[in-house]
């Protein structure tokens, strides 16, 4: 099981990648609330997706965000390190996304 600190670093890495994406991709991201629940650590990371950047990253108790992801700590680290592909993880239920169809389509362009 990965630690909370490793998960924070992985989320920071994703935030950096989003910030460095080209403007066409970044414009696809509206201002949305995002939460990432890591059940094996019983922690929720919350953030805002704003103009293609992930900002205001914090840890909280459960939050009702517009885009909610659930993933284990090990799978989160594996996804960020490139050891696990997102389509494969999603197809096998290792990543769960609760969001509206419009948000799902936009997320596809980001990842």
């Amino acid at each position: 099981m990965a630690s909370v600190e490793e998960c924070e670093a992985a989320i920071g890495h994703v935030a950096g990648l989003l910030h460095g994406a080209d403007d066409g991709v970044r414009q696809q991201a509206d201002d949305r609330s995002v939460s990432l629940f890591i059940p094996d650590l019983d922690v929720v990371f919350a953030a805002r997706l704003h103009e293609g950047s992930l900002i205001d990253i914090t840890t909280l108790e459960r939050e009702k965000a517009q885009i909610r992801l659930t993933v284990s700590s090990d799978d989160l680290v594996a996804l960020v390190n490139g050891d696990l592909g997102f389509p494969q993880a999603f197809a096998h239920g290792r990543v769960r996304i609760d969001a509206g169809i419009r948000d799902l389509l936009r997320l596809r362009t980001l990842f």
Side-chain angles (χ1 to χ4, degrees):
M1 175 172 23
S3 69
V4 172
E5 293 77 19
E6 289 172 306
C7 291
E8 286 175 340
I11 293 167
H13 181 75
V14 170
L17 291 174
L18 288 174
H19 186 72
D22 69 41
D23 289 339
V25 170
R26 294 181 64 195
Q27 288 175 354
Q28 294 293 316
D30 285 340
D31 191 30
R32 311 299 287 160
S33 60
V34 179
S35 68
L36 173 64
F37 176 50
I38 304 175
D40 55 316
L41 297 176
D42 195 29
V43 65
V44 177
F45 291 93
R48 298 234 24 108
L49 187 58
H50 179 72
E51 296 179 359
S53 293
L54 203 54
I55 60 171
D56 301 331
I57 302 168
T58 61
T59 57
L60 309 166
E61 293 185 19
R62 293 280 185 154
E63 178 182 305
K64 195 71 171 175
Q66 293 162 315
I67 301 170
R68 296 172 306 282
L69 294 97
T70 302
V71 63
S72 74
S73 60
D74 287 337
D75 286 343
L76 173 63
V77 172
L79 283 164
V80 172
N81 289 338
D83 299 328
L84 176 63
F86 188 84
Q88 174 191 9
F90 183 75
H92 289 99
R94 295 171 72 175
V95 174
R96 181 175 168 202
I97 302 173
D98 295 310
I101 190 71
R102 183 176 171 208
D103 289 327
L104 289 173
L105 292 172
R106 287 188 174 161
L107 282 174
R108 223 181 75 198
T109 64
L110 291 174
F111 300 104

